[in-house]
């Protein structure tokens, strides 16, 4: 699962950089336990410097996008020596144009996809922000599936968790009890189906 | 019309005067004359605002206590630049309005919708005449709260000026008819205003490659409906100085009547 997770993110940033002929593209994911946005994948200039770096989720353009779920286009950073992002701090590369879109699923922001110095505002007639937003949305949907699966795996692996305890109970059942428990499961499934 | 690289933007349509409930054309000299927003109370709910754009004691932030968010005083502070950009646009059109900032960016993304709701509730209770909201939420559990608040604001003489989402999605509160909602046009003129004959977006204002203030005294060129909304807020501040008893419904009509795309 970790490999699939990483591959989706790497593929997303590569695709974003290529689609916009951009200098670089990066994706941050929100780490809920640390309360930070963490660089998970990067493509292009500086890609080897920023992986694993973390920024506060209420700071910078990425923080704005993460908090609001809105995309953003900011120009003019290169002319300003005070420009300050985790990416610029890590690499020394200061983009002139920064485009960012939320990586989200069902209204929950999972992270932020950024493209630095894209060559064009339109790609085959589609606006760059729309394309970036779609790309970020696809990444979000794939990540959400993986995160759900990872949570399920974790639940199954817990030694004292509900899944393991239930397995131990089932192992001790006689055939009549097993039939009764199956009936009970059917009722539970009906009660919990969305 | 130039291409605008995001959603809820002007398609260049014209509005018709016959759809407006006034016999004679209104002009801007009647709407605001030489008004500069003097004395009009404006609240910017955003990423914070840098000190030089604010009046003393008018910076607030959100503090989480348990599951609840509270508005508390803060030193002027903008962690992202977005709020300073919006405040600068409002000041450029209404330099003498009284600006207050509520910083709602938080480190806890899972409760950012609740922080927005708490900030908006506070600003309505405080009876700011104008609240600029250059953001929205897609979180369904916040929708009804925001809807009730938008109605309360309407009845209280508080006008919410809200930015439509930059993506073609449904989000709130800009979709509610009790607020003024704003998308972008690409005419490089801060006072150019378009009335939208096909809602839910009410008006289009300057929102593409807008020169703005940024953090640390820097400037940027920014695009998005976020930056169109404060142009309308600034115009509303001028109107409210000239016509202090106006509420949201009157502001909507006046803005429609002075739009540049009427035929």
């Amino acid at each position: 699962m970790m490999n699939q997770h990483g591959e989706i993110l790497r593929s997303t940033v590569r695709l974003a950089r290529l689609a916009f002929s951009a200098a670089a593209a990066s994706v941050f994911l929100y780490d809920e336990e640390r309360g930070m946005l963490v660089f998970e994948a990067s493509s292009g200039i500086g890609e080897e410097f920023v992986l694993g770096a973390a920024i506060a989720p209420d700071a910078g353009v990425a923080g704005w996008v993460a908090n609001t779920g809105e995309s953003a286009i900011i120009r003019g950073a290169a002319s300003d020596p005070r420009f300050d992002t985790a990416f610029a701090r890590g690499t020394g590369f200061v983009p002139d144009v920064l485009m960012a879109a939320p990586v989200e699923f069902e209204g929950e922001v999972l992270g932020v996809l950024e493209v630095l110095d894209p060559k064009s505002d339109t790609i085959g007639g589609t606006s760059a922000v729309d394309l970036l937003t779609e790309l970020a949305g696809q990444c979000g949907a794939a990540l959400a599936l993986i995160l759900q699966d990872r949570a399920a795996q974790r639940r199954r692996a817990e030694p004292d968790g509900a899944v393991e305890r239930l397995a131990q109970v089932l192992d001790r059942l006689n055939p009549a009890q097993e039939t009764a428990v199956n009936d009970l499961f059917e009722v539970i499934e009906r009660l919990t189906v969305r | 019309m130039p291409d605008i690289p995001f959603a809820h933007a002007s398609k260049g349509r014209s509005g018709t005067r016959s759809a407006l409930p006034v016999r004679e054309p209104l002009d801007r000299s009647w709407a605001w004359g030489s008004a500069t927003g003097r004395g009009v109370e404006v609240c910017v709910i955003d990423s914070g605002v840098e000190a030089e754009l604010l009046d003393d004691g008018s910076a607030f932030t959100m503090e989480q206590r348990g599951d609840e968010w509270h508005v508390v005083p803060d030193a002027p502070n903008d962690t992202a630049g977005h709020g300073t950009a919006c405040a600068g646009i409002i000041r450029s059109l209404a330099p003498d309005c009284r600006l207050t900032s509520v910083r709602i960016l938080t480190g806890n993304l899972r409760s950012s919708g609740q922080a927005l709701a708490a900030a908006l509730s506070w600003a309505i209770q405080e009876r700011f005449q104008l609240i600029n909201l250059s953001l929205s939420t897609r979180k369904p559990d916040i929708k009804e709260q925001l809807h009730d608040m938008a109605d309360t604001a309407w009845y209280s003489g508080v006008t919410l000026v809200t930015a439509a989402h930059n993506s073609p999605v449904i989000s709130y509160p800009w979709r509610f008819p009790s607020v003024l909602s704003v998308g972008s046009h690409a005419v490089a003129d801060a006072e150019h205003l378009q009335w939208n004959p096909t809602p839910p977006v009410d008006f289009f204002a300057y929102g593409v490659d807008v020169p703005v203030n940024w953090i640390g005294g820097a400037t940027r060129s920014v695009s998005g409906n976020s930056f169109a909304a404060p142009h309308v807020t600034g115009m509303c501040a001028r109107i409210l100085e000239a016509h202090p008893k106006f509420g949201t419904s009157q502001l909507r009509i006046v803005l429609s009547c002075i739009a540049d795309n009427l035929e």
Side-chain angles (χ1 to χ4, degrees):
Chain A
M1 274 301 152
M2 281 304 287
N3 285 342
Q4 285 175 297
H5 176 257
E7 188 48 44
I8 285 173
L9 296 176
R10 283 192 294 276
S11 168
T12 301
V13 292
R14 279 199 302 268
L15 186 53
R17 183 170 67 87
L18 292 172
F20 298 107
S21 302
S26 304
V27 65
F28 307 81
L29 288 190
Y30 179 51
D31 182 335
E32 205 158 347
E33 284 177 14
R34 293 168 65 192
M36 300 291 275
L37 286 169
V38 181
F39 272 100
E40 295 277 351
S42 194
S43 172
I45 295 174
E47 66 182 40
E48 64 272 35
F49 293 110
V50 294
L51 292 188
I55 60 171
D58 59 351
V61 175
W64 165 260
V65 172
N67 265 264
T68 63
E70 286 271 10
S71 51
I73 313 172
I74 314 291
R75 293 173 203 277
S79 60
D80 180 1
R82 291 157 296 194
F83 185 75
D84 185 33
T85 69
F87 192 89
R89 282 200 302 274
T91 64
F93 169 65
V94 178
D96 188 43
V97 182
L98 168 63
M99 225 169 40
V103 175
E104 59 184 343
F105 186 68
E106 294 183 341
E108 286 291 342
V109 174
L110 306 174
V112 177
L113 177 60
E114 282 191 352
V115 171
L116 308 179
D117 281 349
K119 284 237 170 64
S120 169
D121 272 354
T122 57
I123 311 289
T126 304
S127 84
V129 172
D130 276 354
L131 187 61
L132 185 67
T133 302
E134 284 303 317
L135 195 54
Q138 189 188 37
C139 176
L143 280 178
L145 284 176
I146 289 175
L147 292 173
Q148 280 168 12
D149 195 71
R150 197 187 284 175
Q153 300 271 6
R154 201 164 43 231
R155 204 160 36 241
R156 283 177 199 136
E158 283 172 10
D160 298 320
V163 176
E164 177 56 29
R165 283 163 55 206
L166 194 57
Q168 288 173 13
V169 170
L170 291 174
D171 286 344
R172 294 195 294 268
L173 298 180
N174 63 39
Q177 288 171 319
E178 194 165 335
T179 303
V181 168
N182 277 329
D183 290 343
L184 187 60
F185 278 167
E186 273 190 36
V187 173
I188 291 170
E189 280 170 355
R190 278 186 211 157
L191 284 173
T192 56
V193 72
R194 285 187 179 179
Chain B
M1 289 295 292
D3 283 337
I4 297 178
F6 45 85
H8 301 119
S10 170
K11 305 282 189 227
R13 295 192 183 102
S14 297
T16 171
R17 289 192 185 279
S18 62
L20 296 171
V22 288
R23 288 178 62 180
E24 304 293 333
L26 299 184
D27 60 24
R28 295 184 181 203
S29 64
W30 178 84
W32 61 61
S34 58
T36 54
R38 184 170 299 282
V40 176
E41 297 279 352
V42 182
C43 182
V44 176
I45 297 177
D46 212 292
S47 62
V49 174
E50 293 239 309
E52 59 268 25
L53 292 167
L54 287 180
D55 297 297
D56 287 344
S58 55
F60 296 85
T61 191
M62 305 305 295
E63 187 175 282
Q64 192 169 18
R65 297 176 205 147
D67 290 337
E68 291 190 345
W69 287 92
H70 298 268
V71 177
V72 295
D74 190 27
N77 170 30
D78 182 356
T79 51
H82 193 278
T84 296
C86 293
I89 292 168
I90 295 168
R91 275 262 183 260
S92 71
L93 285 159
D96 295 320
C97 72
R98 281 189 51 79
L99 267 184
T100 293
S101 160
V102 182
R103 195 176 88 79
I104 58 153
L105 294 201
T106 75
N108 182 353
L109 298 189
R110 295 295 163 258
S111 64
S112 55
Q114 292 297 346
L116 164 63
L120 184 57
S121 176
W122 177 84
I124 294 167
Q125 281 172 16
E126 293 290 315
R127 296 288 188 271
F128 288 95
Q129 291 158 282
L130 294 166
I131 300 173
N132 189 89
L133 260 183
S134 284
L135 49 89
S136 61
T137 180
R138 297 173 67 187
K139 296 183 179 186
D141 55 325
I142 307 294
K143 176 186 172 185
E144 281 311 308
Q145 284 185 60
L146 293 179
H147 203 165
D148 288 346
M149 286 180 207
D151 287 348
T152 301
W154 168 283
Y155 296 126
S156 308
V158 174
T159 296
L160 307 188
V161 183
T162 61
H165 204 285
N166 291 330
S167 299
V169 299
I170 292 175
S171 61
Y172 311 97
W174 70 269
R175 293 269 307 185
F176 303 140
S178 46
V179 308
L180 301 181
S181 60
V182 187
S184 296
H185 64 61
V187 181
D189 177 353
E191 296 196 17
H192 183 85
L193 179 70
Q194 296 177 4
W195 173 49
N196 184 15
T198 55
V201 175
D202 292 315
F203 300 101
F204 298 114
Y206 182 24
V208 179
D209 293 332
V210 184
V212 293
N213 300 82
W214 204 253
I215 299 173
T219 57
R220 290 282 186 278
S221 172
V222 295
S223 296
N225 298 327
S226 284
F227 311 107
H231 284 100
V232 171
T233 301
M235 290 183 217
C236 287
R238 289 177 174 182
I239 296 170
L240 286 175
E241 180 193 336
H243 307 277
K245 293 190 174 170
F246 281 5
T248 308
S249 56
Q250 291 87 354
L251 287 170
R252 188 193 307 277
I253 292 171
V254 174
L255 290 169
S256 303
C257 290
I258 62 168
D260 293 288
N261 64 332
L262 290 183
E263 288 180 343

